[in-house]
């Protein structure tokens, strides 16, 4: 019995509360598990009235009892508690220090009142131990005790309904039925005499107390009878808090988990001599305990292995059934909280539950946000993958985007619904909006990339379609060059624009955007032509010289000219220069608009129709008609379209004339040389003189046949020498060159003829004799004479470099390398008019 009662001093004689002892006591008796199903029974009465003895026999406790052999003195100091063994539900017995003790003194009633108030505040049943012979006495010992009970009760703003069980000790022969009315009358008188608050001035005693009376025999004289009666009384404490029990109508019960804290706070308030507001105290206890329980559940939640694992998983990616798992974890601890605070004040426990739920949700929200972030990232990646796959299959861009967006948003919404938890109504709309913004941004990026790719492809195709034809047209440089370029540009641009318009139809772009794209493509084509034109300007001098050379050195059948002396070099030169000047006029300005201009007329009037002279220093002087070129702009031509300014054209033409002058001079020289080679015979007057003066010799030959035979043989030898020496061919290069060539070949040729004649005389084969090669000396001399022939029949080429550079004063400078030529003969340069 001693082991199970767990006797503990709750408050010592000095009023110090034993917090550690109470906590240890509640753990031993497992009070926290009782909820509201527990009872507290206190006993008060005069000192040495057998209170402890009664409790020990009634509840099988082990309170210290007075030893009668050592005298009557104070045994219980302060307040002690013990567990009532064998009583259901759990019942705590509280043994108070006796009243009216000599140890405290007559005037020291402070602790008596404090302990009485404490007993009324925490107990469901109060046993008042009193002697039977004091009933009916005006100054009996129980009167001060009852006054104390009722007086302290007034300090409770809303006192609990407590059962007062008066235990009459050492009953006499007077029946209980006679004693009880007297006792109740005394109690009522005491109640009526106690000053009460205005609110309870007319409140009956039954509103606050259930009064019960029981009588017991003397323990010392009739111990067995006493024990039997106590045993019967013990039965009344079973299920005492159930309806119909001793404390069946109690109210304001503190849950078992809050008993320890409640008792500490009540004693603290009593010690501070403050009025004890039990309803407020109940709320306070509920507040403190509920908060403690809530904090404990929150700590358990934060250290829960399932939650920690879930939190770790969500950091690496989406977690399946995230919402269900998190809901289950939260519900576990919220339910545990509800169970533990079930008996506390409803308003307090609900408020603290909301706080617990709020803190728990705040604790898990980062994981939820991370889950939504994972869902957003996954949906965005899925969108990118699906869009890429769809576009690779050749589907329309806008349709692919719509389909992929719808699919990914449905998947995201399903993931958000799966991640939602029952305890919170979190809104995922902001994450969804961010996902939509990210999807739109990516779709716009892909759209821009695809459009840029399409535009680049069409620009590349357009460039390929225009570059070579434009180069060819500029190289031709004809009258209709720009008209052909305009037709080509319009055709290719419209084809490219049509193809681009069809290609971007699936992007569902705005009309304004489409118009801008097509216009940009047209502008690109135009800029490409302009770029080509500006590139060609740098090569215009070379083009002009090539055009001049082509026209000057080839006839109408594109065959190379042979300067035989019958050609009109002046007309040919003018024609070639006209062709070159037309090329210059073509390259002078960009003509992508069908607007007439006077560039060609001005150039021809200034450069072709003007007087042109070639001085001995090979510098050209152009007459006053060229003053129209002393300008930096062309009439009716915008400045942005000018490629070669008029003043630049003038300088360019002067340089062109200098660099083509040698070609004309060489042609004239070749023609003169040809004429001289064809006139190697003496003049007719010389032939007539020879006939007249040689008539006698001629007649002598006719009269003497031998002379005629000798003359015939001499003719044959001469003819053979003529053929072998190619005298007519040698004199084409000039008289001096012909004489030198013939003199060097004359002797070898004579020796060759004599050898042939000797071989024929010896019967040799004529074919073998005729097939032998010429002597090496003769051949070597022929080779030495060939360069002079090629020199007179060919037009020398010069390395020409031209450069057009514009400066701030809009001037232009043309430069070419000096030309050096070797001439076989000195030919006087004729004037060209």
């Amino acid at each position: 019995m001693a082991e199970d009662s767990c006797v503990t001093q709750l408050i010592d004689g000095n009023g110090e509360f034993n917090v550690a002892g109470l906590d240890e006591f509640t753990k031993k008796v497992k009070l926290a598990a009782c909820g509201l199903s527990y009872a507290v029974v206190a006993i008060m009465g005069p000192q040495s009235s057998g209170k402890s003895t009664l409790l020990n026999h009634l509840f099988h406790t082990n309170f210290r009892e007075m030893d009668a052999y050592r005298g009557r003195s104070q045994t219980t100091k302060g307040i002690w508690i013990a567990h009532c063994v064998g009583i259901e539900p759990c019942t705590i017995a509280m043994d108070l220090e006796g009243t009216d003790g000599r140890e405290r003194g007559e005037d020291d009633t402070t602790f008596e009142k404090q302990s009485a108030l404490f007993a009324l505040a925490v107990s469901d049943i109060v046993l008042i131990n009193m002697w039977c012979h004091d009933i009916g006495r005006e100054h009996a010992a129980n009167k001060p005790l009852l006054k104390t009970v009722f007086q302290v009760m007034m300090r409770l703003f809303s006192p609990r309904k407590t059962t007062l069980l008066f235990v009459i000790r050492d009953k006499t022969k007077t029946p209980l039925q006679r004693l009880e009315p007297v006792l109740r009358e005394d109690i009522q008188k005491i109640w009526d005499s106690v000053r009460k608050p205005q609110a309870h001035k007319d409140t009956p005693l039954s509103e606050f107390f259930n009064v019960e009376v029981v009588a017991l025999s003397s323990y010392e004289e009739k111990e067995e009878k006493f024990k039997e009666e106590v045993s019967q009384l013990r039965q009344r404490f079973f299920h005492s808090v159930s309806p119909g029990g001793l404390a069946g109508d109690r109210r304001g019960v503190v849950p078992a988990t809050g008993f320890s804290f409640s008792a500490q706070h009540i004693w603290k308030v009593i010690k501070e001599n403050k009025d004890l507001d039990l309803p407020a105290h109940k709320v306070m206890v509920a507040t403190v305990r509920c908060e403690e329980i809530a904090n404990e559940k929150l700590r358990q939640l934060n250290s829960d292995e399932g939650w920690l694992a879930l939190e770790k998983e969500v950091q690496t990616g989406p977690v399946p059934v995230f919402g269900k798992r998190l809901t289950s974890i939260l519900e576990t601890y919220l339910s545990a909280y509800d169970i533990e605070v079930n008996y506390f004040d409803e308003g307090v426990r609900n408020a603290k539950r909301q706080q617990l739920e709020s803190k728990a949700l705040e604790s898990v929200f980062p994981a939820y946000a991370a889950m939504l972030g994972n869902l957003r990232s996954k949906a965005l990646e899925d969108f990118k993958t699906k869009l890429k796959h769809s576009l690779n299959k050749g589907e329309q861009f806008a349709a692919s985007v719509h389909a992929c967006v719808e699919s990914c948003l449905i998947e995201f919404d399903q993931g958000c619904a799966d991640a939602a938890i029952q305890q919170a109504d979190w809104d995922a709309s902001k994450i969804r909006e961010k996902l939509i913004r990210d999807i739109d941004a990516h779709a716009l990026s892909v759209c821009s990339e695809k459009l840029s790719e399409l535009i680049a492809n069409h620009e590349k195709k357009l460039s390929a379609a225009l570059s070579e034809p434009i180069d060819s047209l500029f190289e031709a440089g004809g009258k209709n060059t720009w008209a052909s370029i305009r037709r080509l540009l319009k055709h290719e641009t419209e084809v490219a624009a049509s193809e681009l318009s069809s290609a971007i139809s699936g992007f569902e772009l705005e009309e304004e955007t489409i118009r801008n794209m097509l216009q940009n493509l047209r502008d690109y084509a135009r800029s490409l032509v302009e770029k080509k034109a500006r590139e060609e300007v740098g090569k215009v001098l070379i083009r002009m010289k090539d055009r001049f050379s082509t026209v000057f050195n080839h006839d109408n059948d594109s065959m190379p000219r042979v300067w035989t002396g019958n050609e009109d070099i002046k007309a040919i030169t003018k024609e070639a220069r006209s062709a070159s000047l037309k090329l210059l006029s073509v390259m002078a300005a960009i003509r992508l608009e069908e607007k007439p201009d006077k560039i060609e007329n001005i150039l021809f009037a200034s450069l072709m129709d003007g007087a042109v002279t070639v001085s001995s220093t090979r510098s050209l002087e152009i007459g006053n008609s060229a003053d129209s070129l002393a300008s930096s702009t062309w009439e009716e031509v915008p400045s942005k379209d000018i490629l070669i300014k008029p003043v630049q054209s003038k300088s360019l033409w002067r340089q062109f004339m200098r660099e083509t002058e040698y070609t004309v001079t060489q042609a004239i020289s070749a023609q003169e040389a040809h004429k001289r080679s064809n006139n190697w015979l003496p003049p007719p007057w010389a032939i007539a003189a020879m006939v007249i003066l040689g008539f006698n010799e001629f007649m002598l030959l006719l009269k003497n046949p031998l002379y005629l035979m000798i003359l015939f043989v001499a003719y044959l030898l001469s003819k053979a020498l003529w053929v072998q020496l190619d005298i007519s061919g040698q004199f084409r290069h000039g008289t001096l060159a012909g004489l030198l060539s013939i003199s060097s070949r004359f002797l070898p040729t004579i020796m060759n003829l004599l050898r042939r004649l000797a071989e024929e005389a010896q019967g040799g084969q004529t074919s073998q004799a005729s097939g032998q090669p010429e002597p090496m000396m003769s051949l070597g001399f022929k080779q030495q004479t060939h360069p002079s022939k090629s020199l007179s029949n060919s037009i020398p080429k010069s390395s020409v470099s031209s450069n057009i550079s514009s400066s701030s004063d809009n001037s232009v400078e043309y430069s070419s390398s000096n030309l050096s030529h070797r001439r076989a003969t000195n030919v006087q340069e004729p004037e060209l008019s």
Side-chain angles (χ1 to χ4, degrees):
M1 181 171 63
E3 294 180 357
D4 295 333
S5 62
C6 304
V7 177
T8 302
Q9 186 176 34
L10 183 62
I11 301 172
D12 62 15
N14 296 323
E16 297 297 327
F17 197 94
N18 185 9
V19 177
L22 179 58
D23 291 340
E24 184 68 20
F25 174 81
T26 56
K27 291 180 181 178
K28 286 182 178 180
V29 301
K30 300 179 180 179
L31 183 62
C34 296
L36 294 178
S37 183
Y38 75 100
V40 179
V41 179
I43 188 169
M44 62 178 62
Q47 180 178 304
S48 302
S49 61
K51 299 187 298 298
S52 300
T53 301
L54 176 60
L55 291 179
N56 289 339
H57 285 82
L58 185 60
F59 299 118
H60 300 169
T61 56
N62 194 26
F63 292 112
R64 182 185 174 193
E65 300 178 8
M66 183 191 71
D67 188 354
Y69 295 103
R70 293 184 180 182
R72 307 186 71 83
S73 62
Q74 188 179 47
T75 303
T76 302
K77 295 182 180 181
I79 301 175
W80 293 71
I81 59 174
H83 177 234
C84 300
V85 179
I87 302 296
E88 292 292 338
C90 179
T91 302
I92 299 173
M94 186 180 296
D95 190 8
L96 275 64
E97 180 179 319
T99 61
D100 196 21
R102 65 182 179 86
E103 287 81 4
R104 292 277 183 185
E106 181 179 355
D107 297 328
D108 189 6
T109 60
T110 301
F111 187 78
E112 293 179 7
K113 292 181 179 181
Q114 289 176 346
S115 60
L117 180 57
F118 181 77
L120 287 174
V122 302
S123 302
D124 301 303
I125 303 171
V126 177
L127 302 179
I128 299 178
N129 201 39
M130 60 186 304
W131 299 110
C132 180
H133 53 74
D134 285 340
I135 298 176
R137 294 179 180 179
E138 186 66 25
H139 300 287
N142 66 324
K143 292 291 183 71
L145 177 60
L146 288 175
K147 287 183 179 180
T148 299
V149 170
F150 293 149
Q151 285 173 358
V152 298
M153 186 274 302
M154 291 298 102
R155 295 178 62 184
L156 303 177
F157 287 94
S158 179
R160 305 172 60 186
K161 191 167 185 179
T162 306
T163 298
L164 296 179
L165 180 59
F166 289 87
V167 180
I168 301 173
R169 302 295 295 275
D170 298 344
K171 67 179 180 178
T172 61
K173 294 181 180 181
T174 305
L176 182 60
Q177 292 80 4
R178 298 285 185 182
L179 296 175
E180 184 174 353
V182 177
L183 180 58
R184 288 183 180 273
E185 184 180 352
D186 291 342
I187 293 172
Q188 187 63 45
K189 287 180 181 181
I190 296 172
W191 172 256
D192 293 339
S193 65
V194 173
R195 293 182 59 183
K196 294 181 284 293
Q198 187 65 29
H200 300 293
K201 188 174 183 180
D202 299 325
T203 303
L205 178 65
S206 60
E207 182 69 21
F208 298 109
F209 297 102
N210 291 322
V211 179
E212 298 286 341
V213 181
V214 64
L216 297 177
S217 299
S218 173
Y219 174 70
E220 293 179 353
E221 297 177 0
K222 301 177 181 180
E223 183 176 355
E224 295 300 326
K225 182 66 174 176
F226 174 81
K227 292 181 178 180
E228 180 181 351
E229 292 171 349
V230 168
S231 178
Q232 294 175 359
L233 179 60
R234 174 183 171 86
Q235 298 302 318
R236 299 185 65 181
F237 286 93
F238 282 89
H239 307 293
S240 59
V241 296
S242 300
L246 283 175
D249 56 350
R250 65 178 181 171
R251 56 177 178 261
V253 184
V254 175
T257 56
F259 176 79
S260 176
F261 175 79
S262 175
Q264 295 175 48
H265 185 264
I266 288 175
W267 182 249
K268 179 182 177 182
V269 172
I270 292 173
K271 284 281 289 182
E272 293 173 355
N273 198 28
K274 297 180 180 179
D275 290 339
L276 186 60
D277 188 351
L278 284 185
H281 169 74
K282 178 183 176 182
V283 171
M284 185 274 300
V285 173
T287 300
V288 173
R289 279 300 298 151
C290 288
E291 187 168 351
E292 289 177 352
I293 295 171
N295 291 336
E296 180 183 0
K297 299 308 173 187
L298 187 61
R299 285 193 298 271
Q300 292 176 359
L301 169 64
N302 291 332
S303 60
D304 184 85
E305 293 183 358
W307 157 243
L308 295 177
L310 182 62
E311 186 180 29
K312 185 176 180 180
E313 287 180 38
V314 81
Q315 301 302 322
T316 58
V319 179
V321 295
F322 174 86
K324 290 183 179 179
R325 292 173 62 182
L326 185 55
T327 297
S328 176
I329 294 172
L330 292 174
E331 187 62 29
T332 298
Y333 293 99
L334 292 176
S335 299
Y337 169 83
D338 291 338
I339 292 173
E340 293 191 29
V341 302
N342 184 50
Y343 303 110
F344 289 104
D345 182 80
E346 182 178 1
V348 174
R349 70 172 184 254
N350 290 340
K352 293 302 177 181
R353 190 187 196 279
Q354 290 180 358
Q355 293 180 11
L356 170 61
E357 188 172 335
S358 176
K359 291 181 180 179
L361 293 177
E362 183 179 350
S363 178
V364 302
F365 182 77
Y368 174 78
M371 179 65 183
L372 293 187
N374 292 334
L375 292 174
R376 182 188 64 82
S377 300
K378 182 177 182 298
L380 182 60
E381 291 302 320
D382 289 346
F383 172 78
K384 294 179 180 179
T385 303
K386 291 178 180 178
L387 181 60
K388 182 178 180 180
H389 180 69
S390 179
L391 294 178
N392 290 338
K393 290 170 60 178
E395 297 182 9
Q396 296 290 342
F397 180 82
S400 299
V401 169
H402 293 327
C404 294
V405 167
E406 183 179 0
S407 172
C408 292
L409 288 182
I410 290 175
E411 182 179 351
F412 176 77
D413 292 339
Q414 291 175 348
C416 290
D418 178 71
I421 60 176
Q422 296 179 359
Q423 292 82 3
D425 187 19
W426 286 327
D427 186 10
S429 60
K430 291 185 178 180
I431 304 297
R432 192 177 193 274
E433 292 173 0
K434 188 177 188 309
L435 172 61
I436 293 175
R437 290 195 300 270
D438 292 342
I439 288 176
D440 291 342
H442 179 72
L444 182 61
S445 174
V446 174
C447 179
S448 300
E449 181 181 349
K450 293 297 181 181
L451 289 177
S452 299
E453 183 178 344
L454 285 174
I455 292 173
N457 290 337
H458 283 78
E459 287 180 350
K460 185 176 180 181
K461 291 172 61 178
L462 187 59
S463 177
L466 290 175
S467 295
E468 292 185 2
I470 289 176
D471 289 341
S472 178
L473 289 172
F474 279 136
E475 186 176 357
K479 181 179 181 181
N480 297 322
T481 296
W482 282 107
S484 300
I485 290 176
R486 286 194 297 269
R487 287 193 299 271
L488 175 65
L489 175 63
K490 181 179 180 181
H491 175 264
E492 296 297 338
T493 302
E494 292 303 322
V495 170
S498 176
E499 292 178 354
L500 180 60
S501 180
S502 300
I504 64 177
S505 61
F507 287 82
E508 295 184 2
L509 302 176
E510 296 180 357
E511 291 295 329
E512 183 67 22
T513 304
I514 295 176
R515 285 197 297 270
N516 291 337
M517 291 178 63
L518 297 180
Q519 184 60 43
N520 291 338
L521 185 64
R522 296 186 180 95
D523 293 343
Y524 171 80
R526 184 184 181 95
S527 65
L528 181 64
V529 175
E530 293 177 354
K531 180 181 178 182
K532 285 290 182 181
R534 297 185 190 281
E535 290 176 356
E536 288 295 324
V537 169
K539 300 182 287 186
V540 65
L541 182 58
I542 297 175
R543 298 285 193 196
M544 290 171 64
K545 291 191 293 183
D546 290 343
R547 177 66 58 85
F548 178 85
S549 177
T550 301
V551 176
F552 188 80
N553 293 320
H554 295 79
D555 57 19
N556 293 333
D557 296 328
S558 298
M559 298 298 292
R561 293 184 189 276
V562 177
W563 303 105
T564 62
N566 298 323
E567 295 83 5
D568 187 354
I569 293 180
K570 181 179 179 181
I572 294 173
T573 302
K574 186 173 183 179
E575 180 185 358
R577 288 176 178 172
S578 297
S580 299
L581 192 57
K582 286 182 179 179
L583 180 60
L584 178 62
S585 68
V586 168
M587 299 306 304
I590 297 173
R591 300 176 180 87
L592 293 179
E593 305 295 338
E594 295 185 10
K595 295 180 180 179
D597 58 69
K598 301 178 181 179
I599 295 177
E600 184 175 350
N601 295 336
I602 293 173
L603 288 175
F604 271 84
S606 301
L607 302 178
M608 289 296 295
D609 297 341
V612 180
T613 60
V614 180
S615 65
S616 60
T617 59
R618 294 177 174 81
S619 63
L620 300 178
E621 296 179 356
I622 302 177
N624 294 330
S625 59
D627 292 341
S628 59
L629 296 179
S631 173
S632 61
T633 58
W634 295 104
E635 185 179 352
E636 298 180 357
V637 177
S639 299
K640 64 182 181 66
D641 292 336
I642 296 177
L643 298 176
I644 302 175
K645 298 177 181 179
V647 66
Q648 293 174 337
S649 301
K650 182 177 179 181
S651 300
L652 190 61
W653 183 256
R654 185 181 294 113
Q655 184 175 355
F656 166 76
M657 292 290 285
R658 284 198 302 266
E659 295 184 4
T660 57
E661 175 185 349
Y662 182 71
T663 303
V664 178
T665 302
Q666 285 295 324
I668 294 173
S669 299
Q671 194 178 55
E672 290 295 329
H674 186 273
K675 288 180 179 180
R676 286 194 298 270
S677 65
N678 288 336
N679 293 331
W680 58 271
L681 293 176
W685 60 267
I687 295 175
M690 290 174 62
V691 171
I692 294 172
L693 295 176
F695 180 76
N696 294 331
E697 288 78 3
F698 179 71
M699 291 304 295
L700 179 61
L701 292 175
L702 291 177
K703 292 178 180 180
N704 191 347
L706 181 60
Y707 289 153
L708 187 59
M709 182 64 66
I710 294 171
L711 185 59
F712 181 70
V713 172
Y715 169 75
L716 291 177
L717 291 174
S718 299
K719 184 65 174 178
L721 288 173
W722 184 279
V723 174
Q724 289 293 326
L725 294 175
D726 190 17
I727 292 176
S728 62
Q730 297 300 328
F731 278 97
R732 288 196 186 98
H733 307 302
T735 305
L736 180 59
L739 292 175
L740 292 173
S741 178
I742 292 171
S743 62
S744 64
R745 297 175 60 189
F746 181 75
L747 184 58
T749 302
I750 293 297
M751 295 298 294
N752 186 31
L753 291 175
L754 293 176
R755 187 172 57 253
R756 289 183 182 180
L757 291 175
E759 290 175 355
E760 289 179 357
Q762 295 174 3
Q765 295 180 359
T766 305
S767 60
Q768 294 179 357
S770 62
Q772 289 182 359
E774 296 178 355
M776 293 301 295
M777 184 180 296
S778 176
L779 292 176
F781 185 79
K782 286 183 179 180
Q783 291 176 356
Q784 293 175 5
T785 61
H786 288 165
S788 62
K789 179 178 178 180
S790 60
L791 180 63
S792 64
N793 289 334
S794 62
I795 299 176
K797 295 182 180 179
S798 62
S799 174
V800 180
S801 64
S802 64
N803 181 27
I804 303 177
S805 61
S806 299
S807 61
S808 59
D809 58 353
N810 294 327
S811 64
V812 64
E813 179 182 349
Y814 302 87
S815 64
S816 65
S817 61
N818 294 327
L819 306 178
S820 61
H821 308 279
R822 292 184 60 190
R823 301 191 178 184
T825 59
N826 293 327
V827 181
Q828 185 178 0
E829 298 174 356
E831 288 185 0
L832 299 178
S833 59

